[in-house]
Coordinates of all heavy atoms in Angstrom, one line a residue:
M1 N 0.8 -1.2 0.0 CA 0.0 0.0 0.0 C 0.9 1.3 0.0 O 1.8 1.3 0.7 CB -0.9 0.0 1.3 CG -2.2 0.7 1.0 SD -3.4 0.1 2.3 CE -4.1 1.5 2.6
D2 N 0.5 2.2 -0.8 CA 1.3 3.4 -0.9 C 1.0 4.5 0.3 O 0.1 4.1 1.1 CB 1.3 4.0 -2.3 CG -0.1 4.0 -2.9 OD1 -0.9 3.1 -2.4 OD2 -0.3 4.7 -3.8
A3 N 1.6 5.6 0.2 CA 1.4 6.6 1.3 C 0.2 7.4 1.1 O 0.0 8.4 1.9 CB 2.6 7.5 1.3
K4 N -0.7 7.1 0.3 CA -1.9 7.9 0.1 C -2.9 7.6 1.2 O -2.8 6.7 1.9 CB -2.6 7.5 -1.3 CG -1.9 7.9 -2.5 CD -2.6 7.6 -3.7 CE -1.8 7.9 -5.0 NZ -2.4 7.5 -6.2
A5 N -3.8 8.5 1.3 CA -4.9 8.2 2.3 C -5.7 7.0 2.0 O -5.8 6.6 0.9 CB -5.9 9.4 2.3
P6 N -6.3 6.4 3.0 CA -7.0 5.0 2.8 C -8.2 5.1 1.8 O -8.5 4.2 1.1 CB -7.5 4.6 4.1 CG -6.6 5.4 5.1 CD -6.1 6.6 4.3
Y7 N -8.9 6.3 1.8 CA -10.0 6.4 1.0 C -9.7 6.6 -0.4 O -10.5 6.5 -1.3 CB -11.0 7.6 1.5 CG -10.4 8.9 1.4 CD1 -10.7 9.6 0.2 CD2 -9.8 9.6 2.4 CE1 -10.2 10.8 0.0 CE2 -9.3 10.8 2.2 CZ -9.5 11.5 1.1 OH -9.0 12.7 0.9
M8 N -8.5 7.0 -0.7 CA -8.1 7.2 -2.2 C -8.1 5.9 -3.0 O -8.2 6.0 -4.1 CB -6.6 7.8 -2.2 CG -6.7 9.3 -1.8 SD -7.7 10.3 -2.8 CE -6.9 10.2 -4.3
N9 N -7.9 4.8 -2.4 CA -7.9 3.5 -3.2 C -9.3 3.2 -3.8 O -9.4 2.6 -4.8 CB -7.5 2.4 -2.3 CG -6.0 2.5 -1.8 OD1 -5.3 3.0 -2.6 ND2 -5.7 1.9 -0.7
E10 N -10.4 3.6 -3.1 CA -11.7 3.3 -3.6 C -12.1 4.3 -4.7 O -12.7 3.9 -5.7 CB -12.7 3.7 -2.5 CG -12.5 2.8 -1.2 CD -13.4 3.3 -0.1 OE1 -14.1 4.2 -0.3 OE2 -13.3 2.7 0.9
V11 N -11.6 5.5 -4.8 CA -11.9 6.5 -5.9 C -10.6 6.9 -6.7 O -10.4 7.9 -7.1 CB -12.5 7.7 -5.3 CG1 -13.9 7.3 -4.7 CG2 -11.7 8.3 -4.2
E12 N -9.7 5.8 -6.9 CA -8.5 6.1 -7.5 C -8.6 6.8 -8.9 O -7.9 7.7 -9.3 CB -7.6 4.8 -7.7 CG -6.3 5.0 -8.3 CD -5.2 5.4 -7.1 OE1 -5.5 5.3 -6.0 OE2 -4.2 5.9 -7.5
G13 N -9.7 6.3 -9.7 CA -9.8 6.8 -11.0 C -10.6 8.1 -11.2 O -10.6 8.7 -12.3
N14 N -11.2 8.6 -10.2 CA -12.0 9.8 -10.3 C -11.1 11.0 -10.2 O -10.4 11.2 -9.1 CB -13.1 9.8 -9.2 CG -14.2 10.8 -9.4 OD1 -14.0 11.7 -10.1 ND2 -15.3 10.5 -8.7
V15 N -11.2 11.7 -11.2 CA -10.2 13.0 -11.3 C -10.7 14.0 -10.3 O -9.8 14.6 -9.7 CB -10.4 13.5 -12.8 CG1 -9.5 14.8 -12.9 CG2 -9.9 12.6 -13.8
F16 N -12.0 14.2 -10.1 CA -12.5 15.2 -9.2 C -11.9 14.9 -7.7 O -11.4 15.8 -7.1 CB -14.0 15.1 -9.1 CG -14.6 16.0 -8.0 CD1 -14.5 17.4 -8.2 CD2 -15.0 15.5 -6.8 CE1 -15.1 18.2 -7.2 CE2 -15.6 16.4 -5.9 CZ -15.5 17.8 -6.0
Y17 N -12.0 13.6 -7.2 CA -11.5 13.4 -6.0 C -10.0 13.5 -5.9 O -9.4 13.8 -4.8 CB -12.0 11.9 -5.5 CG -13.3 11.9 -5.1 CD1 -14.3 11.4 -6.0 CD2 -13.8 12.6 -3.9 CE1 -15.6 11.4 -5.5 CE2 -15.1 12.6 -3.6 CZ -16.1 12.0 -4.4 OH -17.4 12.0 -4.1
R18 N -9.2 13.1 -6.9 CA -7.8 13.3 -6.9 C -7.5 14.8 -6.9 O -6.5 15.2 -6.0 CB -7.2 12.7 -8.1 CG -7.2 11.1 -8.1 CD -6.4 10.5 -9.1 NE -6.4 11.2 -10.4 CZ -6.2 10.6 -11.6 NH1 -5.9 9.3 -11.6 NH2 -6.2 11.3 -12.7
L19 N -8.2 15.6 -7.6 CA -7.9 17.0 -7.5 C -8.3 17.6 -6.1 O -7.5 18.4 -5.7 CB -8.7 17.7 -8.6 CG -8.4 19.2 -8.9 CD1 -7.0 19.5 -9.3 CD2 -9.5 19.7 -9.9
L20 N -9.4 17.1 -5.7 CA -9.8 17.5 -4.3 C -8.8 17.2 -3.2 O -8.4 18.0 -2.3 CB -11.1 17.0 -3.9 CG -11.8 17.4 -2.5 CD1 -12.1 18.9 -2.5 CD2 -13.0 16.7 -2.3
Y21 N -8.3 16.0 -3.3 CA -7.3 15.6 -2.4 C -6.0 16.4 -2.5 O -5.4 16.7 -1.4 CB -7.0 14.0 -2.6 CG -5.9 13.5 -1.8 CD1 -6.0 13.2 -0.5 CD2 -4.6 13.2 -2.3 CE1 -5.0 12.7 0.3 CE2 -3.6 12.7 -1.6 CZ -3.8 12.5 -0.2 OH -2.8 12.0 0.6
Y22 N -5.6 16.7 -3.8 CA -4.4 17.5 -3.9 C -4.5 18.9 -3.3 O -3.7 19.3 -2.6 CB -4.2 17.6 -5.4 CG -3.0 18.5 -5.8 CD1 -1.8 18.1 -5.8 CD2 -3.2 19.9 -6.1 CE1 -0.7 18.9 -6.1 CE2 -2.2 20.7 -6.5 CZ -0.9 20.2 -6.4 OH 0.2 21.1 -6.7
F23 N -5.6 19.5 -3.5 CA -5.8 20.8 -3.0 C -5.9 20.8 -1.4 O -5.5 21.7 -0.7 CB -7.0 21.6 -3.5 CG -6.7 22.1 -5.0 CD1 -7.5 21.7 -6.1 CD2 -5.7 23.0 -5.2 CE1 -7.2 22.2 -7.3 CE2 -5.4 23.5 -6.4 CZ -6.1 23.1 -7.5
Q24 N -6.6 19.7 -0.9 CA -6.7 19.7 0.6 C -5.4 19.5 1.2 O -5.0 20.0 2.2 CB -7.6 18.6 0.9 CG -9.1 18.8 0.8 CD -10.0 17.6 1.2 OE1 -9.5 16.5 1.3 NE2 -11.3 17.9 1.4
K25 N -4.5 18.6 0.6 CA -3.3 18.3 1.1 C -2.4 19.6 1.1 O -1.8 19.9 2.0 CB -2.6 17.2 0.3 CG -1.2 16.8 0.8 CD -0.7 15.6 0.0 CE 0.7 15.3 0.5 NZ 1.3 14.2 -0.3
R26 N -2.4 20.4 0.0 CA -1.6 21.5 -0.2 C -2.1 22.6 0.8 O -1.4 23.4 1.4 CB -1.5 21.9 -1.6 CG -0.9 21.0 -2.5 CD 0.6 20.6 -2.1 NE 1.2 19.8 -3.1 CZ 1.4 18.5 -3.1 NH1 0.7 17.8 -2.1 NH2 1.9 17.9 -4.0
G27 N -3.4 22.9 0.8 CA -4.0 23.9 1.6 C -3.8 23.6 3.1 O -3.4 24.6 3.9
F28 N -3.9 22.4 3.6 CA -3.7 22.1 5.0 C -2.2 22.3 5.3 O -1.8 22.7 6.5 CB -4.1 20.7 5.4 CG -5.6 20.7 5.4 CD1 -6.2 19.4 5.2 CD2 -6.4 21.8 5.5 CE1 -7.6 19.3 5.3 CE2 -7.8 21.6 5.5 CZ -8.4 20.4 5.5
E29 N -1.3 22.1 4.3 CA 0.1 22.3 4.5 C 0.4 23.7 4.8 O 1.3 24.1 5.6 CB 0.9 21.7 3.4 CG 2.4 21.8 3.5 CD 2.9 20.9 4.5 OE1 2.4 20.0 5.0 OE2 4.1 21.2 4.9
V30 N -0.2 24.5 4.0 CA 0.1 26.0 4.1 C -0.4 26.5 5.6 O 0.3 27.2 6.3 CB -0.8 26.8 3.1 CG1 -0.7 28.3 3.4 CG2 -0.1 26.6 1.7
C31 N -1.6 26.0 6.0 CA -2.1 26.4 7.3 C -1.3 25.8 8.5 O -1.0 26.5 9.4 CB -3.6 25.8 7.6 SG -4.8 26.7 6.5
R32 N -0.7 24.6 8.3 CA 0.2 24.0 9.2 C 1.5 24.8 9.3 O 1.9 25.1 10.4 CB 0.5 22.7 8.9 CG 1.3 21.8 10.0 CD 1.8 20.5 9.6 NE 2.6 20.5 8.4 CZ 3.9 20.9 8.5 NH1 4.5 21.1 9.5 NH2 4.5 20.9 7.4
R33 N 2.0 25.2 8.2 CA 3.3 26.0 8.3 C 3.1 27.3 8.9 O 4.0 27.8 9.6 CB 3.9 26.0 6.9 CG 4.4 24.7 6.5 CD 5.0 24.8 5.1 NE 6.2 25.6 5.1 CZ 7.0 25.9 4.1 NH1 6.6 25.4 2.9 NH2 8.1 26.6 4.3
I34 N 2.0 28.0 8.5 CA 1.7 29.3 9.2 C 1.6 29.2 10.6 O 2.0 30.0 11.4 CB 0.4 29.9 8.5 CG1 0.7 30.4 7.0 CG2 0.0 31.2 9.4 CD1 -0.5 30.8 6.3
A35 N 0.8 28.2 11.1 CA 0.6 27.9 12.6 C 2.0 27.7 13.3 O 2.2 28.2 14.3 CB -0.4 26.7 12.7
E36 N 2.8 26.9 12.6 CA 4.2 26.6 13.2 C 5.0 27.9 13.3 O 5.6 28.1 14.4 CB 4.9 25.6 12.4 CG 4.4 24.2 12.6 CD 5.2 23.2 11.8 OE1 6.2 23.7 11.0 OE2 5.0 22.0 11.9
R37 N 4.9 28.6 12.4 CA 5.6 29.9 12.3 C 5.1 30.9 13.4 O 6.0 31.6 14.0 CB 5.5 30.6 10.9 CG 6.3 31.8 10.7 CD 7.7 31.5 10.4 NE 8.4 32.4 9.6 CZ 9.5 32.3 9.2 NH1 10.1 31.2 9.3 NH2 10.0 33.2 8.4
L38 N 3.9 30.9 13.6 CA 3.3 31.9 14.6 C 3.2 31.2 16.0 O 3.0 31.8 17.0 CB 1.9 32.2 14.3 CG 1.6 33.1 12.9 CD1 0.3 33.2 12.6 CD2 2.4 34.4 13.1
G39 N 3.4 29.9 16.1 CA 3.5 29.2 17.3 C 2.0 29.0 17.9 O 1.9 28.9 19.2
I40 N 1.0 28.8 17.1 CA -0.3 28.5 17.5 C -0.8 27.3 16.9 O -0.1 26.7 16.1 CB -1.3 29.7 17.1 CG1 -1.2 30.0 15.6 CG2 -1.0 31.0 17.8 CD1 -2.3 31.0 15.2
R41 N -2.0 26.7 17.3 CA -2.6 25.5 16.6 C -3.1 25.8 15.3 O -3.5 26.8 14.9 CB -3.7 25.1 17.6 CG -3.2 24.5 18.9 CD -4.3 23.8 19.6 NE -5.2 24.8 20.2 CZ -6.4 24.6 20.8 NH1 -6.9 23.4 20.7 NH2 -7.0 25.6 21.3
T42 N -2.9 24.7 14.5 CA -3.3 24.7 13.2 C -4.8 24.9 13.0 O -5.3 25.6 12.1 CB -2.9 23.4 12.5 OG1 -1.6 23.1 12.7 CG2 -3.2 23.4 11.0
R43 N -5.6 24.4 13.9 CA -7.0 24.5 13.9 C -7.5 26.0 14.0 O -8.5 26.5 13.4 CB -7.6 23.8 15.1 CG -9.1 23.8 15.1 CD -9.6 22.9 16.3 NE -11.1 23.1 16.4 CZ -11.8 22.6 17.3 NH1 -11.2 21.9 18.3 NH2 -13.0 22.7 17.4
V44 N -6.7 26.8 14.8 CA -7.0 28.3 14.9 C -6.7 29.0 13.6 O -7.6 29.8 13.2 CB -6.2 28.9 16.0 CG1 -6.4 30.4 16.1 CG2 -6.5 28.2 17.4
V45 N -5.8 28.6 12.9 CA -5.5 29.2 11.7 C -6.5 28.9 10.6 O -7.0 29.8 9.8 CB -4.1 28.8 11.1 CG1 -3.7 29.3 9.7 CG2 -3.0 29.3 12.1
R46 N -6.9 27.6 10.5 CA -7.9 27.3 9.7 C -9.2 27.8 9.8 O -9.9 28.4 8.9 CB -8.1 25.7 9.7 CG -7.0 24.9 9.1 CD -7.3 23.5 9.1 NE -6.0 22.8 8.8 CZ -5.8 21.5 9.3 NH1 -6.6 21.0 10.1 NH2 -4.7 20.9 8.9
T47 N -9.7 27.9 11.1 CA -11.0 28.6 11.4 C -10.9 30.1 11.2 O -11.9 30.7 10.8 CB -11.4 28.3 12.9 OG1 -10.4 28.7 13.7 CG2 -11.8 26.9 13.0
S48 N -9.7 30.7 11.4 CA -9.6 32.1 11.1 C -9.7 32.3 9.6 O -10.4 33.4 9.3 CB -8.1 32.6 11.6 OG -8.1 32.4 13.0
F49 N -9.1 31.6 8.8 CA -9.3 31.8 7.4 C -10.8 31.7 7.0 O -11.2 32.4 6.1 CB -8.4 30.7 6.5 CG -7.0 31.2 6.4 CD1 -6.0 30.3 6.8 CD2 -6.7 32.3 5.7 CE1 -4.7 30.8 6.6 CE2 -5.5 32.8 5.6 CZ -4.4 31.8 6.0
I50 N -11.5 30.7 7.5 CA -13.0 30.6 7.3 C -13.7 31.8 7.6 O -14.5 32.3 6.9 CB -13.5 29.3 7.8 CG1 -12.8 28.0 7.3 CG2 -15.0 29.2 7.9 CD1 -13.1 26.7 8.0
Y51 N -13.5 32.2 8.9 CA -14.2 33.4 9.4 C -13.9 34.7 8.5 O -14.7 35.5 8.3 CB -13.8 33.6 10.9 CG -14.5 32.6 11.8 CD1 -13.8 32.3 13.0 CD2 -15.7 32.0 11.5 CE1 -14.5 31.3 13.8 CE2 -16.3 31.1 12.4 CZ -15.6 30.8 13.5 OH -16.2 29.9 14.3
L52 N -12.6 34.9 8.3 CA -12.2 36.0 7.4 C -12.8 35.9 6.1 O -13.2 37.0 5.5 CB -10.6 36.1 7.3 CG -9.9 36.6 8.5 CD1 -8.4 36.4 8.3 CD2 -10.3 38.0 8.8
T53 N -13.0 34.8 5.5 CA -13.7 34.7 4.2 C -15.1 35.1 4.3 O -15.7 35.9 3.5 CB -13.6 33.2 3.7 OG1 -12.3 32.8 3.6 CG2 -14.3 33.1 2.4
F54 N -15.9 34.7 5.4 CA -17.2 35.2 5.5 C -17.3 36.7 5.9 O -18.2 37.4 5.3 CB -17.9 34.3 6.7 CG -18.2 33.0 6.4 CD1 -17.8 31.8 7.0 CD2 -19.1 32.7 5.2 CE1 -18.2 30.6 6.7 CE2 -19.4 31.4 4.8 CZ -19.0 30.4 5.6
V55 N -16.4 37.1 6.6 CA -16.4 38.5 7.0 C -16.1 39.4 5.7 O -16.9 40.4 5.5 CB -15.3 39.0 8.1 CG1 -15.1 40.4 8.2 CG2 -15.8 38.4 9.4
T56 N -15.2 39.0 4.9 CA -14.9 39.9 3.7 C -16.1 39.8 2.7 O -16.3 40.8 2.1 CB -13.6 39.5 3.1 OG1 -13.7 38.1 2.8 CG2 -12.4 39.8 3.9
L57 N -16.6 38.6 2.6 CA -17.8 38.6 1.6 C -19.0 39.3 2.2 O -19.7 40.0 1.5 CB -18.3 37.1 1.4 CG -17.2 36.3 0.5 CD1 -17.7 34.9 0.5 CD2 -17.1 36.9 -0.9
G58 N -19.2 39.2 3.5 CA -20.3 40.1 4.2 C -20.0 41.5 4.1 O -21.0 42.2 3.9
F59 N -18.8 41.9 4.2 CA -18.4 43.4 4.1 C -18.8 43.9 2.7 O -19.3 45.0 2.6 CB -17.0 43.6 4.5 CG -16.6 45.0 4.3 CD1 -17.0 45.9 5.2 CD2 -15.8 45.4 3.2 CE1 -16.6 47.2 5.1 CE2 -15.4 46.7 3.1 CZ -15.9 47.7 4.0
G60 N -18.5 43.1 1.7 CA -18.7 43.6 0.3 C -20.2 43.7 0.1 O -20.6 44.7 -0.6
F61 N -21.0 42.8 0.5 CA -22.4 42.8 0.4 C -23.1 44.0 1.2 O -23.9 44.7 0.6 CB -23.1 41.5 0.8 CG -24.5 41.5 0.6 CD1 -25.0 41.4 -0.8 CD2 -25.4 41.3 1.6 CE1 -26.3 41.3 -1.1 CE2 -26.8 41.2 1.3 CZ -27.2 41.3 0.0
A62 N -22.6 44.2 2.4 CA -23.0 45.3 3.1 C -22.7 46.6 2.5 O -23.5 47.5 2.5 CB -22.4 45.3 4.6
L63 N -21.5 46.7 1.9 CA -21.1 47.9 1.3 C -22.0 48.2 0.0 O -22.4 49.3 -0.2 CB -19.7 47.9 0.8 CG -19.1 49.1 0.1 CD1 -19.1 50.3 1.0 CD2 -17.7 48.8 -0.4
Y64 N -22.3 47.2 -0.7 CA -23.2 47.2 -1.8 C -24.5 47.8 -1.4 O -25.2 48.6 -2.0 CB -23.3 45.9 -2.5 CG -24.4 45.9 -3.6 CD1 -24.2 46.4 -4.8 CD2 -25.6 45.3 -3.3 CE1 -25.1 46.4 -5.8 CE2 -26.6 45.2 -4.4 CZ -26.4 45.8 -5.5 OH -27.3 45.8 -6.5
L65 N -25.2 47.2 -0.3 CA -26.4 47.6 0.1 C -26.4 49.1 0.6 O -27.4 49.9 0.4 CB -27.0 46.7 1.3 CG -27.4 45.3 0.9 CD1 -27.8 44.5 2.1 CD2 -28.5 45.3 -0.1
F66 N -25.4 49.5 1.3 CA -25.2 50.9 1.7 C -25.1 51.8 0.6 O -25.9 52.9 0.6 CB -24.0 51.0 2.7 CG -23.6 52.4 3.0 CD1 -24.4 53.0 4.0 CD2 -22.7 53.2 2.4 CE1 -24.2 54.4 4.3 CE2 -22.5 54.5 2.7 CZ -23.3 55.1 3.8
L67 N -24.4 51.5 -0.4 CA -24.3 52.3 -1.7 C -25.6 52.4 -2.4 O -26.0 53.4 -2.8 CB -23.2 51.9 -2.6 CG -21.8 52.1 -2.0 CD1 -20.8 51.5 -3.0 CD2 -21.5 53.6 -1.8
A68 N -26.3 51.3 -2.4 CA -27.7 51.3 -3.1 C -28.6 52.3 -2.3 O -29.4 53.0 -2.9 CB -28.2 49.9 -3.2
F69 N -28.6 52.1 -1.0 CA -29.5 53.0 -0.2 C -29.1 54.4 -0.3 O -30.0 55.2 -0.5 CB -29.3 52.5 1.3 CG -30.1 53.4 2.3 CD1 -31.5 53.3 2.3 CD2 -29.4 54.3 3.1 CE1 -32.2 54.1 3.2 CE2 -30.1 55.1 3.9 CZ -31.5 55.0 4.0
W70 N -27.8 54.7 -0.3 CA -27.4 56.0 -0.5 C -27.8 56.7 -1.8 O -28.2 57.8 -1.9 CB -25.8 56.1 -0.3 CG -25.2 57.6 -0.3 CD1 -24.7 58.1 -1.3 CD2 -25.3 58.4 0.8 NE1 -24.3 59.5 -0.9 CE2 -24.6 59.6 0.3 CE3 -25.7 58.3 2.1 CZ2 -24.5 60.7 1.2 CZ3 -25.5 59.5 2.9 CH2 -25.0 60.6 2.4
L71 N -27.6 55.9 -2.9 CA -28.0 56.4 -4.2 C -29.5 56.6 -4.3 O -30.0 57.6 -5.0 CB -27.6 55.5 -5.3 CG -26.1 55.4 -5.5 CD1 -25.7 54.3 -6.5 CD2 -25.5 56.7 -6.0
K72 N -30.2 55.8 -3.6 CA -31.7 55.9 -3.6 C -32.2 57.3 -2.9 O -32.9 58.1 -3.4 CB -32.4 54.8 -3.0 CG -33.9 54.8 -3.0 CD -34.4 54.6 -4.4 CE -35.9 54.5 -4.3 NZ -36.5 54.3 -5.7
I73 N -31.6 57.5 -1.8 CA -31.7 58.8 -1.0 C -31.3 60.0 -1.8 O -32.0 60.9 -1.9 CB -31.0 58.7 0.3 CG1 -31.6 57.5 1.2 CG2 -31.1 60.0 1.0 CD1 -33.1 57.8 1.5
K74 N -30.1 59.9 -2.5 CA -29.7 61.0 -3.3 C -30.6 61.3 -4.4 O -31.0 62.4 -4.7 CB -28.2 60.7 -3.9 CG -27.6 61.8 -4.7 CD -26.3 61.3 -5.3 CE -26.7 60.6 -6.5 NZ -27.2 61.2 -7.7
D75 N -31.2 60.2 -5.1 CA -32.1 60.4 -6.2 C -33.4 61.0 -5.7 O -34.0 61.9 -6.5 CB -32.3 59.1 -6.9 CG -31.2 58.6 -7.6 OD1 -30.2 59.5 -8.0 OD2 -31.2 57.4 -8.1
L76 N -33.9 60.7 -4.4 CA -35.0 61.3 -4.0 C -34.8 62.8 -3.6 O -35.8 63.7 -3.7 CB -35.4 60.6 -2.7 CG -36.1 59.2 -2.9 CD1 -36.3 58.5 -1.6 CD2 -37.2 59.2 -3.8
I77 N -33.7 63.2 -3.1 CA -33.4 64.5 -2.7 C -33.1 65.4 -4.0 O -33.6 66.6 -4.1 CB -32.3 64.6 -1.7 CG1 -32.7 63.9 -0.3 CG2 -31.9 66.0 -1.4 CD1 -31.7 63.7 0.6
Y78 N -32.1 64.9 -4.7 CA -31.6 65.7 -5.8 C -32.3 65.2 -7.1 O -31.6 64.5 -7.9 CB -30.2 65.7 -6.0 CG -29.4 66.2 -4.8 CD1 -28.7 65.4 -4.0 CD2 -29.4 67.5 -4.6 CE1 -28.0 66.0 -2.9 CE2 -28.7 68.1 -3.5 CZ -28.0 67.3 -2.6 OH -27.4 67.7 -1.6
T79 N -33.5 65.6 -7.5 CA -34.1 65.1 -8.7 C -33.9 66.2 -9.7 O -33.9 67.4 -9.4 CB -35.6 65.0 -8.6 OG1 -36.2 66.1 -8.0 CG2 -36.0 63.8 -7.6
K80 N -33.6 65.8 -10.9 CA -33.3 66.7 -12.0 C -34.6 67.2 -12.6 O -35.4 66.5 -13.0 CB -32.5 66.0 -13.1 CG -32.1 67.0 -14.2 CD -31.2 66.3 -15.2 CE -30.8 67.2 -16.4 NZ -30.1 66.6 -17.4
R81 N -34.7 68.5 -12.5 CA -35.9 69.1 -13.0 C -35.7 69.7 -14.5 O -34.7 70.4 -14.6 CB -36.4 70.2 -12.0 CG -36.9 69.6 -10.7 CD -37.4 70.7 -9.9 NE -37.9 70.0 -8.6 CZ -37.2 69.7 -7.6 NH1 -35.9 69.8 -7.6 NH2 -37.8 69.2 -6.6
T82 N -36.5 69.4 -15.4 CA -36.4 69.8 -16.8 C -36.7 71.3 -16.9 O -36.2 72.0 -17.8 CB -37.0 69.0 -17.7 OG1 -38.5 69.0 -17.3 CG2 -36.6 67.6 -17.7
S83 N -37.6 71.8 -16.2 CA -38.0 73.2 -16.3 C -38.4 73.8 -14.9 O -38.6 73.1 -13.9 CB -39.2 73.4 -17.2 OG -40.4 72.8 -16.7
V84 N -38.7 75.1 -14.9 CA -39.1 75.7 -13.7 C -40.5 75.3 -13.2 O -40.8 75.3 -12.0 CB -39.1 77.2 -13.9 CG1 -39.4 78.0 -12.7 CG2 -37.7 77.7 -14.4
F85 N -41.3 74.8 -14.1 CA -42.7 74.6 -13.7 C -42.8 73.1 -13.2 O -43.9 72.7 -12.8 CB -43.5 74.6 -15.0 CG -43.5 76.0 -15.6 CD1 -42.9 76.3 -16.8 CD2 -44.2 77.1 -14.9 CE1 -42.9 77.5 -17.3 CE2 -44.2 78.4 -15.4 CZ -43.5 78.6 -16.5
D86 N -41.7 72.3 -13.0 CA -41.7 71.0 -12.5 C -41.8 71.1 -10.9 O -41.9 70.0 -10.3 CB -40.6 70.2 -12.9 CG -40.7 69.7 -14.3 OD1 -41.8 69.8 -14.8 OD2 -39.6 69.4 -15.0
L87 N -41.7 72.2 -10.3 CA -41.7 72.4 -8.9 C -43.0 72.0 -8.3 O -43.5 71.4 -7.7 CB -41.4 73.8 -8.4 CG -40.0 74.3 -8.8 CD1 -39.8 75.7 -8.4 CD2 -38.9 73.4 -8.0

């Protein structure tokens, strides 16, 4: 038996699972090395990356909603009038 994970023998031919295994192995290696460098647990680094992903996506969506609200208020206040009689 080679050094692969035990579940890899069942899905050896499936390209998707091989690609997924490759990225998981490399991604966890990055988190492990960062954790070793900072002197903290690997689990903390992984969960921090997950939380930061949700925060940054949430921030972008909140910014979009704020700008949409601001433009709507601006359009209500500053309407372009074509003539003096539109008052």
Side-chain angles (χ1 to χ4, degrees):
M1 208 158 143
D2 39 342
K4 293 181 182 177
Y7 69 89
M8 282 302 292
N9 292 331
E10 300 170 3
V11 289
E12 185 84 13
N14 195 338
V15 176
F16 174 74
Y17 284 107
R18 287 194 319 208
L19 186 65
L20 181 66
Y21 176 73
Y22 174 81
F23 283 121
Q24 283 180 348
K25 184 177 176 184
R26 298 300 187 265
F28 289 158
E29 180 70 19
V30 169
C31 291
R32 185 187 62 79
R33 290 183 65 186
I34 291 172
E36 283 180 359
R37 187 76 152 190
L38 296 175
I40 57 177
R41 287 189 281 166
T42 308
R43 182 177 176 186
V44 173
V45 175
R46 288 181 191 150
T47 54
S48 298
F49 276 122
I50 292 169
Y51 289 147
L52 282 173
T53 301
F54 284 126
V55 166
T56 54
L57 288 176
F59 177 73
F61 185 66
L63 181 64
Y64 171 79
L65 288 178
F66 174 75
L67 289 175
F69 175 73
W70 185 261
L71 289 174
K72 183 70 173 175
I73 295 297
K74 183 188 77 71
D75 289 343
L76 288 174
I77 294 173
Y78 298 112
T79 56
K80 184 177 180 181
R81 294 181 173 84
T82 55
S83 71
V84 180
F85 301 109
D86 286 342
L87 296 175

